[in-house]
Amino acid sequence: MIETILLGGDLRVRRLGLGTMRLPGPGVWGPPTDRAEAVRVLRTAVDLGVNFLDTADSYGPAVAEELIREALHPYPDDLVIATKAGLLRPEPIVSPGPWPRCGRPEYLRQQAELSLRRLRVERLDLFQLHRVDETVPFEDQIGALAQLRDEGKVRHVGLSGVDLRQLRAAERIVPVVSVQNRFNLLHRSGTDVLKHAERHQLAFLPFAPLAQGGWGSAAAPLEQIAHDHATTVSQVALAWLLHRSAAILPIPGTSKVRHLRENIEAAQVSLPAEVIEQLETL
Ligand SMILES: NC(=O)c1ccc[n+]([C@@H]2O[C@H](COP(=O)([O-])OP(=O)(O)OC[C@H]3O[C@@H](n4cnc5c(N)ncnc54)[C@H](OP(=O)(O)O)[C@@H]3O)[C@@H](O)[C@H]2O)c1
């Protein structure tokens, strides 16, 4: 298995990262229920070799970025922190509450400035547009990212929740190095974007790689597979993603060191061909 990805041609990252959306309090809102554990999750991840963290201004809001700084600043040289902007957080998530979009260029700019301050860095390694805002001209949103990149405030630009048409349109404005879309054992649409990522050396960051814990009717067969191969359901799901494409860099989210360790160990799980086949038909 290929163990690393060269993000944007210059950032070598291991293929299992950490998503930080689970670190703030319930509803991705406010401080963590157990702050010490949240800090431990981040430090343990780095100790275990994770060097790609996915975060966003909207996680908390601000809380996940503040925790990253608290736990890890000054950062190890090889740590890559990917953040995002473009979603508002007027209230905690009330399931399945929407996160309103705001892609106004001046807002994206402001949020980049705030992320720089919170993370205490001179430049954001990867700045992702969280969602395209259909009420703002597309060129203005991507243009804001391009401008931040030109000014050196952002090293690389990524997109999130985009289709192939949007990705191609953005690439005509600014180099795009990653796409973050929902993709897991139960949600495999949008493979055209994945194929594009493979062909053009973009990283594909599947969000909700563990289906956010909701395996539904697939839970029973997955548990059986995990049991038969002395592994766990989460490890099966992550091993499948790592096997699915060399462009994929999963970013499982957790608030618990126990789960973090289990997830990282998934990189060592190799699923036999017949299991992969079985998973394809889930
Ligand atoms: N771009 C976007 O629009 C977008 C949207 C959603 C998420 N994201 C990013 O993607 C990351 C991953 O997505 P996600 O956090 O929503 O979902 P996920 O990784 O699919 O699942 C996280 C859920 O699974 C649980 N979990 C984690 N490891 C586990 C394990 N080994 N065993 C059992 N349960 C486990 C977590 O609970 P515990 O806390 O109890 O471990 C949490 O409830 C996020 O953290 C965020 O960085 C991006």
Side-chain angles (χ1 to χ4, degrees):
M1 188 188 72
I2 297 168
E3 289 179 350
T4 61
I5 283 181
L6 197 59
L7 184 69
D10 62 354
L11 298 174
R12 178 71 62 188
V13 287
R14 287 187 201 93
R15 277 186 70 207
L16 252 178
L18 172 68
T20 63
M21 196 178 99
R22 303 290 157 184
L23 295 180
V28 197
W29 190 260
T33 316
D34 184 344
R35 191 174 193 92
E37 178 75 351
V39 167
R40 260 195 308 272
V41 165
L42 289 161
R43 290 187 179 153
T44 309
V46 169
D47 288 347
L48 294 177
V50 168
N51 74 336
F52 182 86
L53 302 179
D54 179 70
T55 191
D57 59 344
S58 48
Y59 299 164
V63 172
E65 289 184 336
E66 286 165 1
L67 282 167
I68 290 173
R69 185 192 64 214
E70 176 184 334
L72 299 171
H73 193 278
Y75 304 114
D77 287 346
D78 68 342
L79 184 70
V80 173
I81 304 173
T83 193
K84 318 183 196 75
L87 295 180
L88 302 173
R89 292 304 311 283
E91 58 195 345
I93 297 178
V94 217
S95 183
W99 296 31
R101 304 177 184 202
C102 183
R104 285 166 51 198
E106 65 273 26
Y107 177 72
L108 296 177
R109 231 189 129 70
Q110 170 191 299
Q111 295 308 95
E113 292 289 349
L114 291 175
S115 289
L116 284 166
R117 276 189 218 168
R118 278 192 295 264
L119 290 167
R120 207 174 296 153
V121 291
E122 300 283 311
R123 181 164 61 161
L124 301 172
D125 296 323
L126 176 62
F127 190 52
Q128 307 159 98
L129 181 62
H130 214 147
R131 282 294 182 283
V132 173
D133 179 351
E134 304 294 350
T135 67
V136 173
F138 183 77
E139 298 70 27
D140 293 356
Q141 298 172 66
I142 306 299
L145 307 189
Q147 193 186 349
L148 286 161
R149 183 177 174 277
D150 289 345
E151 291 168 0
K153 294 186 172 175
V154 162
R155 185 173 195 135
H156 292 301
V157 166
L159 302 175
S160 167
V162 288
D163 60 26
L164 188 57
R165 184 187 56 82
Q166 292 168 320
L167 172 55
R168 285 203 170 121
E171 285 180 319
R172 287 193 282 276
I173 300 170
V174 69
V176 175
V177 307
S178 66
V179 179
Q180 186 169 145
N181 281 359
R182 183 185 297 273
F183 193 78
N184 58 46
L185 268 172
L186 301 186
H187 188 104
R188 308 177 194 188
S189 59
T191 48
D192 52 349
V193 173
L194 176 57
K195 283 200 187 106
H196 181 94
E198 289 166 352
R199 268 199 300 273
H200 300 278
Q201 282 81 51
L202 272 64
F204 185 91
L205 313 171
F207 76 68
L210 304 175
Q212 301 183 317
W215 293 113
S217 60
L222 275 172
E223 273 159 24
Q224 188 61 53
I225 291 171
H227 176 264
D228 292 348
H229 295 274
T231 176
T232 69
V233 168
S234 298
Q235 289 175 335
V236 169
L238 294 171
W240 175 79
L241 281 169
L242 291 169
H243 175 273
R244 179 70 178 70
S245 165
I248 285 185
L249 194 175
I251 45 168
T254 182
S255 57
K256 299 186 179 68
V257 171
R258 180 167 52 89
H259 287 164
L260 169 79
R261 288 184 187 280
E262 180 185 325
N263 297 343
I264 292 173
E265 280 167 17
Q268 315 308 323
V269 173
S270 150
L271 299 171
E274 66 271 17
V275 173
I276 296 286
E277 219 167 283
Q278 205 181 339
L279 291 171
E280 296 299 335
T281 59
L282 260 187

